[in-house]
Amino acid sequence: MNRNDNRKRLQQELFDVCIIGAGASGAGAALDAALRGYRVALIDRGDISGETSSRSTKLIHGGVRYLEQAIKKLDLAQLKQVRHGLAERRTVIRNAPHLAHPLALLTPVFSWFEGMYMSIGLNLYAFFAGHDSFPKGRWLNKADALTKMPTLTNQMHSAVLYYDGQFNDARYALALAHSADEAGAAVVNYLAVTGFKQENGSITTAHVQDQLTDETFSIRAKVFLNCTGPYADEIRLLANPTLDRRIRPSKGVHMVLPREILRSDCAMLIPKTADGRVVFAIPFGDKVFVGTTDDDYTDLNQEPVLEPAEIDYLLDTLRPYLAKTPDKNQVQAGFGGIRPLILSSRTDTKTLLRDHEVEHDSESGLLSLLGGKWTTYRVMAQDAIDRVAERLGSSAKSTTERHYLVGGATYRFEDWQLLQQRFDLPTDICQHLMQTYGDRAEQVARLTVERPVLREKLTEHRPFISAEVIYQIRQEMAVTLRDVLARRWRLELSDWTLTAQITPQVAQLMADELGWDDEYCREQIRAYQTLLRSFVAQAGLAAERKAATRV
């Protein structure tokens, strides 16, 4: 993806559809539209997957909680959502096998009855999933459960094992956008919509501002599709100020703990909390992500962050399930996201449906894809582009169900050995490159031949090498430090201290490739490290870390 070339296209061409928002739904819609042969523009005011889509629980699932509510309340809408999610779970993994895989989850229970109840529910879950390649779950006795996850409390009666999917959300959205680009879409990040021009009662032009250069210009398209998730109302009201708001934002946060907390390749599902939520503890690399919360969120201009009360809540939730509860000073990072719940009369965000809707505003002609969740992004995108097709008078059908994403077409994890033979890189680096870039890993490794200095690891604690930064700039449209450290890699999400430590090295690589002068480079380092320190302070962890150091 070449940002400059694509930006020129935006200024020169008339597009069939301009998609605003490059998260899961927007990038998915761009790929769907491009594969149907439409001329597609995809823009975002930040990075690709810069907001909600990169801050999920990293699970691909039908929704165990939705199934329970569907059965208890005989709610067919909830049941439909579960079936959609389970059907799409297979597709998400098939189309990008380097970024997604099945994951075992344990649910500890404290009585025979509770175990039976959970087993029946999860058997129903498997039934609705149909015949797929996921392993089948089972009810484990206490000894078997402790073998799989040795840190569980000895107070449990047994545990129920089941399977869902896990994925790297930010890189999955990036693969969607990259695939759309290769299918002909003009993809540009850091381009904010500032207004619209209408002719004959329909939007014909979007006015945009480049967030990197402050330059303004216009994009012409026959149809405009709003895929901005929790920020959808901002675009809707920009197109038509008389519209009512449709989105009720909900904040969900995760805290990050060392992997030793679970000492397992399995995740843990906590099926009931004091306030009726579901919480997961999920291994991700060498960490465990614990979340999520679910609270109303009103200030969309502020990035959602991990706060002290949320840490307390998540630690309290873990306490009954582990033999030893983690301390606050073991929290190494955290992240927050905003769910785009569709507004309804329900007062509790935990009960709001996360199904989606494609809205057409007859006054402006704007289409808006509202609601939804990661697992069903492809169906959401298909529904939205079907509506675009209606507006264009086209009969082209979606072909995304069996379309491999960038990196996935010929991916085999075992090929890390071929990578090692050809480029003489360490095992951990070769495996990391395969799991991150799929069948494009060789393109990254080839840079180390052209410039041997790019073979160097940036830290002994991770298999990241300098060549990746160059590849991410040239091929994946990375233009800021956070693009690399938070989204192309997931380091910011998992370890604030290590992220701050390697920021100067990453900045120097970016400066050399992008032509940053010394003053600008120092400014970027200062700004990003200040941001990381603010995360620590807002989580209330600075005092905890000082106390732990003194001890």
Side-chain angles (χ1 to χ4, degrees):
M1 293 188 290
N2 187 294
R3 187 176 188 273
N4 289 334
D5 289 350
N6 284 350
R7 215 184 73 134
K8 289 175 184 173
R9 286 184 57 196
L10 294 182
Q11 297 175 71
Q12 297 168 355
E13 298 180 21
L14 170 63
F15 295 93
D16 292 315
V17 58
C18 175
I19 299 167
I20 305 164
S25 58
L31 176 59
D32 191 308
L35 291 177
R36 297 192 202 199
Y38 302 146
R39 291 163 295 181
V40 181
L42 174 64
I43 61 174
D44 196 291
R45 68 178 180 184
D47 188 24
I48 296 162
S49 184
E51 299 288 349
T52 298
S53 293
S54 63
R55 302 175 188 182
S56 74
T57 306
K58 323 294 181 246
L59 285 179
I60 311 156
H61 61 100
V64 173
R65 185 183 75 183
Y66 304 134
L67 177 62
E68 184 178 31
Q69 291 180 6
I71 293 171
K72 280 184 175 179
K73 301 175 182 178
L74 298 178
D75 188 335
L76 293 180
Q78 296 264 25
L79 189 58
K80 179 182 176 184
Q81 201 175 175
V82 173
R83 294 181 71 107
H84 273 169
L86 290 170
E88 286 302 302
R89 188 177 66 171
R90 294 189 295 270
T91 303
V92 170
I93 293 177
R94 177 201 173 273
N95 290 352
H98 57 305
L99 299 174
H101 56 87
L103 175 71
L105 294 97
L106 279 178
T107 302
V109 296
F110 294 88
S111 69
W112 178 90
F113 177 80
E114 191 180 2
M116 179 60 71
Y117 177 80
M118 290 296 300
S119 293
I120 292 171
L122 292 172
N123 282 333
L124 277 174
Y125 194 63
F127 172 77
F128 286 125
H131 299 290
D132 57 22
S133 59
F134 277 66
K136 300 305 176 186
R138 60 190 187 276
W139 191 358
L140 305 177
N141 62 35
K142 183 188 211 174
D144 288 342
L146 287 170
T147 298
K148 286 193 171 292
M149 191 175 289
T151 59
L152 289 174
T153 176
N154 203 44
Q155 302 302 310
M156 69 178 175
H157 173 272
S158 53
V160 178
L161 173 72
Y162 79 104
Y163 290 83
D164 254 326
Q166 182 177 37
F167 74 136
N168 186 332
D169 51 8
R171 289 206 64 88
Y172 206 103
L174 178 68
L176 288 168
H178 199 162
S179 301
D181 180 275
E182 293 195 351
V187 180
V188 178
N189 55 2
Y190 295 100
L191 209 58
V193 174
T194 58
F196 292 107
K197 178 183 176 183
Q198 297 187 28
E199 294 179 13
N200 301 320
S202 185
I203 297 170
T204 59
T205 303
H207 304 300
V208 298
Q209 182 177 44
D210 192 317
Q211 302 299 287
L212 303 178
T213 66
D214 288 333
E215 182 186 355
T216 60
F217 59 91
S218 297
I219 300 172
R220 296 177 300 132
K222 298 174 183 176
V223 180
F224 287 83
L225 173 61
N226 172 19
C227 294
T228 54
Y231 309 96
D233 283 338
E234 183 178 325
I235 298 297
R236 293 173 65 250
L237 294 171
L238 198 61
N240 182 356
T242 67
L243 292 174
D244 293 330
R245 292 186 175 274
R246 294 293 314 282
I247 298 297
R248 182 171 177 180
S250 168
K251 176 187 178 185
V253 299
H254 296 77
M255 69 177 180
V256 180
L257 296 166
R259 191 169 177 127
E260 294 73 43
I261 296 302
L262 298 183
R263 285 168 41 203
S264 176
D265 291 331
C266 298
M268 177 167 59
L269 164 66
I270 297 175
K272 57 181 181 181
T273 62
D275 53 357
R277 299 172 184 171
V278 171
V279 167
F280 295 92
I282 299 175
F284 193 87
D286 64 346
K287 307 295 181 186
V288 170
F289 292 171
V290 182
T292 178
T293 58
D294 196 342
D295 299 289
D296 279 326
Y297 197 70
T298 55
D299 191 355
L300 294 181
N301 293 319
Q302 293 293 320
E303 178 175 345
V305 297
L306 180 66
E307 299 177 26
E310 293 161 335
I311 293 176
D312 291 339
Y313 167 80
L314 292 171
L315 289 175
D316 287 344
T317 300
L318 279 177
R319 184 168 286 111
Y321 295 88
L322 296 177
K324 181 182 179 183
T325 307
D327 296 322
K328 268 190 180 181
N329 60 37
Q330 292 178 277
V331 177
Q332 298 178 336
F335 56 95
I338 309 173
R339 300 180 189 88
L341 303 178
I342 300 177
L343 197 61
S344 80
S345 58
R346 304 184 193 197
T347 58
D348 185 352
T349 60
K350 295 185 292 296
T351 65
L352 287 181
L353 281 178
R354 292 179 66 185
D355 211 348
H356 67 276
E357 173 188 337
V358 183
E359 176 196 73
H360 174 243
D361 173 30
S362 58
E363 294 291 320
S364 67
L366 179 71
L367 290 173
S368 293
L369 178 52
L370 307 175
K373 63 177 183 175
W374 239 119
T375 305
T376 54
Y377 85 86
R378 195 195 65 80
V379 173
M380 294 163 57
Q382 179 177 305
D383 289 350
I385 301 304
D386 283 347
R387 295 293 296 276
V388 169
E390 290 175 11
R391 301 275 294 160
L392 294 173
S394 166
S395 60
K397 301 298 182 183
S398 176
T399 60
T400 55
E401 186 174 3
R402 301 190 67 81
H403 184 83
Y404 283 108
L405 304 186
V406 162
T410 62
Y411 167 77
R412 294 189 320 144
F413 176 65
E414 314 86 73
D415 287 347
W416 71 263
Q417 297 170 0
L418 298 176
L419 208 63
Q420 190 171 54
Q421 292 170 16
R422 291 172 187 165
F423 300 98
D424 193 28
L425 291 166
T427 297
D428 63 335
I429 291 175
C430 292
Q431 292 181 346
H432 158 69
L433 293 179
M434 286 303 300
Q435 291 175 315
T436 305
Y437 305 96
D439 60 24
R440 304 292 173 98
E442 186 171 338
Q443 294 183 23
V444 183
R446 202 176 297 135
L447 294 171
T448 68
V449 176
E450 299 168 12
R451 290 172 58 191
V453 69
L454 297 179
R455 297 168 56 92
E456 295 177 4
K457 274 188 178 184
L458 291 167
T459 170
E460 285 304 310
H461 303 286
R462 291 288 195 286
F464 302 152
I465 59 174
S466 300
E468 293 179 78
V469 180
I470 307 306
Y471 178 85
Q472 290 164 8
I473 292 169
R474 294 179 182 176
Q475 300 294 332
E476 297 182 343
M477 211 175 283
V479 292
T480 74
L481 287 168
R482 211 172 181 195
D483 294 347
V484 172
L485 288 161
R487 290 175 286 274
R488 307 308 184 275
W489 293 329
R490 311 315 311 276
L491 191 58
E492 181 195 298
L493 270 65
S494 61
D495 193 324
W496 288 331
T497 300
L498 185 56
T499 303
Q501 288 173 358
I502 72 168
T503 292
Q505 296 159 263
V506 174
Q508 192 56 60
L509 288 164
M510 297 191 77
D512 293 343
E513 183 69 19
L514 294 170
W516 295 352
D517 61 37
D518 289 345
E519 182 180 351
Y520 183 81
C521 185
R522 285 193 297 270
E523 178 187 324
Q524 296 306 302
I525 294 170
R526 266 196 312 271
Y528 190 41
Q529 291 181 334
T530 298
L531 179 67
L532 293 169
R533 284 194 296 271
S534 77
F535 292 156
V536 174
Q538 290 175 93
L541 296 176
E544 296 289 336
R545 291 182 179 177
K546 286 180 182 177
T549 303
R550 285 197 298 271
V551 171

